[in-house]
Amino acid sequence: MSKDGYGSTTKRTSSYVHNASSFPFQYKTLAQSLDELASQYPDYECYVFKGENKRYTYATWKHEIDWLATSLLELGFEIGDRLAVALPNCSENVLLSYVASKLGIIKVHLNPDSTGRELADAVNQTRSELGISRVEQGYGMTEIGNFLTCTVDTNYDDDRRHTSIGRCLPHMEIKIVDNNGTVVPIGSEGEIWVRGYSIMSCYDNDRERTAEMITDDRWLRTGDLARMDDDGYLFFIGRKKEMIIQGATNIYPIEIERVILEHPSVADVQVFSIPDPLVDEVVCAFVKLKPETKCEVDELKMFLSDKLTSYKIPEHIRFVDDFTRNVMGKVAKYKLTEDMINILNSS
C-alpha cells in the first residue's frame, strides 16, 4: 500500500484506510480561501441552492458574507463569541459558516445533518436540471469538523462515483467495524469509525456522552452504517439506530424507501418499525402521495412484492399529508413509531 493509501494497485481485504497524504495542510481559514477565490474568479459560479432558486458567483457570495459580517459586528459580536444557529440546510446556514470564519466567532449548529436517501437520483437530477456536467458528493458530520470523504479525487466510472459517498480525505483514517469494534472484511456492512486531526475533543460539559462517542484511542463512532469496496469507496447504508431488527435479520429502512419511491404516485415515504412480541420489530411506512394521484395499500404492497422479499414489505402502511417532525423541521422517526402505535390502537 502506498503512503497516501490510494496509489497501490493491491486491492484491500479489510475495511480500513489511512490516507496519510503527503499533501500539506493549508493554514487558511474558510473565509480567507473564499476571499482568494473571489479575487481570482469573481464571475465563476460558487453556489447553487436549487430549492431556493438562488445562484451565487464568488463575487456575489463574498458580498453577502461581508454584509452579514458587518451586521454582526454592529450587534457587538467579538472574537470567540458563540453564535447559535437554528436553521435547516439552506443558503443562510452555509453563509453563516463563512461569516463565523471571517469574524473568528464559533458557529454552534442546533440542527443535525442528514444523509440523502437517493444519492444517485439527486446527482442525476442536479446534472440535468442545472446543467452541471460534474457533481461531487461527500460525507461528514459536526463532530468530525468537516468532510470525511469526497469523490472529487477520482476518475473512476460515474456509476460508482455517484452512488458512493467517496473515499477518505487526506490525513484521516476510516474503518468499518462490527458491534465489537473489529474491522470487517471488504464489502461487509458495519459502522463507520473515523480518526484524525479534525475530530472534536469532546462534547462541552458532557463526559458521559463523549465517552459513548469517542474511544480511548480517539476513534469516533459515527453511528452510520456503510460498506467499503476494495478501492476504498464507502457506500452509505443508513443510521445504525434506525436499523430494524426482525428476528435475526437486519432491515435497513433506506432500502425499502428507495423501492417505494419508484411507485409513480409516491412523493415521499418514511419507513420505520414498531415493537412486536413475536419477531422483535415489524416494518411500517407512512407514505405521502403526489398531488391528484391515488393509491391503495393493497396496490402498493402488490407493487412491492415484485421488488422486495416478503419480510421487507411494510406490514402497516398509512397515507399521510406530512410526517411528524422535531422543532428543527427534521422527521422524527421515534415519533412516527408512536404515531403508528396510536393509529393501530384506535382502529
Side-chain angles (χ1 to χ4, degrees), residues 140-154:
M141 57 193 298
T142 302
E143 289 85 350
I144 294 174
N146 57 18
F147 281 108
L148 170 64
T149 66
C150 188
T151 58
V152 73
D153 71 330
T154 178

Side-chain angles (χ1 to χ4, degrees), residues 109-153:
H109 295 270
L110 299 183
N111 65 306
D113 292 332
S114 59
T115 305
R117 176 169 53 215
E118 198 58 89
L119 183 58
D121 284 352
V123 168
N124 291 332
Q125 184 181 22
T126 300
R127 297 174 73 183
S128 61
E129 294 187 8
L130 300 181
I132 298 174
S133 60
R134 178 163 176 151
V135 180
E136 307 296 345
Q137 54 276 339
Y139 164 84
M141 57 193 298
T142 302
E143 289 85 350
I144 294 174
N146 57 18
F147 281 108
L148 170 64
T149 66
C150 188
T151 58
V152 73
D153 71 330

Side-chain angles (χ1 to χ4, degrees), residues 327-343:
V327 294
M328 301 309 306
K330 185 179 180 181
V331 174
K333 292 218 173 187
Y334 72 96
K335 286 290 188 182
L336 301 186
T337 295
E338 295 176 4
D339 292 344
M340 182 62 81
I341 291 174
N342 290 335
I343 290 172

Side-chain angles (χ1 to χ4, degrees), residues 117 242 253 256-258 260-261 265-272 284-290 300 314 316-340 343:
R117 176 169 53 215
E242 293 177 359
I256 303 171
E257 289 169 348
R258 285 171 175 163
I260 294 176
L261 283 169
S265 296
V266 174
D268 202 358
V269 60
Q270 293 291 330
V271 171
F272 54 98
C284 304
F286 281 137
V287 179
K288 289 175 61 176
L289 297 178
K290 295 177 182 177
L300 184 54
H316 304 291
I317 298 176
R318 295 294 185 273
F319 297 105
V320 296
D321 295 327
D322 200 0
F323 312 115
T324 301
R325 301 174 185 272
N326 60 25
V327 294
M328 301 309 306
K330 185 179 180 181
V331 174
K333 292 218 173 187
Y334 72 96
K335 286 290 188 182
L336 301 186
T337 295
E338 295 176 4
D339 292 344
M340 182 62 81
I343 290 172

